[in-house]
Amino acid sequence: MALRTVKRLIDAGVSVQRIRRSICKLQQVLPSVQRPLSELVLVASGDAVLVLKHGAAFEAVSGQAWVLEVAAFQREVEDRVRALRAGRDGAVEYGARPASAREGPC
């Protein structure tokens, strides 16, 4: 699952360096989250990794809040994540991809 997730992020336009920085930053700012890529809903928007948590969206590296219709967007992402976990493959709309993977060292 980890490799498939990283591939989806890369396919969505996220650089490997951005993925690595995102994981490290999330481990620093959310110490209660042991495995950010598997415990959080992450989506790609260009080269940015957005985190959807408790009805809010923020950029993983900068922490900058994003204003968007979070409830509808989060439902769409969660539906796609459930479909992927059930073994069905599909792209997330809006050019974003869900992420869930095992983290590596920073």
Side-chain angles (χ1 to χ4, degrees):
M1 184 73 165
L3 292 175
R4 186 169 46 174
T5 298
V6 171
K7 182 181 180 331
R8 283 194 185 103
L9 285 171
I10 291 169
D11 289 348
V14 180
S15 69
V16 173
Q17 295 82 6
R18 174 69 68 158
I19 294 168
R20 182 177 291 124
R21 282 194 309 266
S22 297
I23 293 167
C24 291
K25 187 66 173 183
L26 288 169
Q27 288 173 327
Q28 292 171 3
V29 299
L30 300 171
S32 65
V33 176
Q34 298 294 314
R35 300 175 70 192
L37 295 176
S38 59
E39 295 177 39
L40 301 171
V41 176
L42 304 178
V43 295
S45 178
D47 194 40
V49 176
L50 301 181
V51 180
L52 303 179
K53 184 172 172 66
H54 302 301
F58 64 94
E59 205 275 325
V61 174
S62 70
Q64 179 179 6
W66 279 50
V67 178
L68 48 95
E69 193 177 324
V70 174
F73 187 65
Q74 186 165 4
R75 278 193 300 274
E76 174 72 21
V77 170
E78 289 171 348
D79 289 346
R80 298 297 176 130
V81 169
R82 277 192 293 278
L84 289 169
R85 288 183 177 156
R88 297 183 306 253
D89 196 22
V92 175
E93 294 179 21
Y94 314 111
R97 311 269 183 205
S100 173
R102 196 179 90 213
E103 294 75 33
C106 293

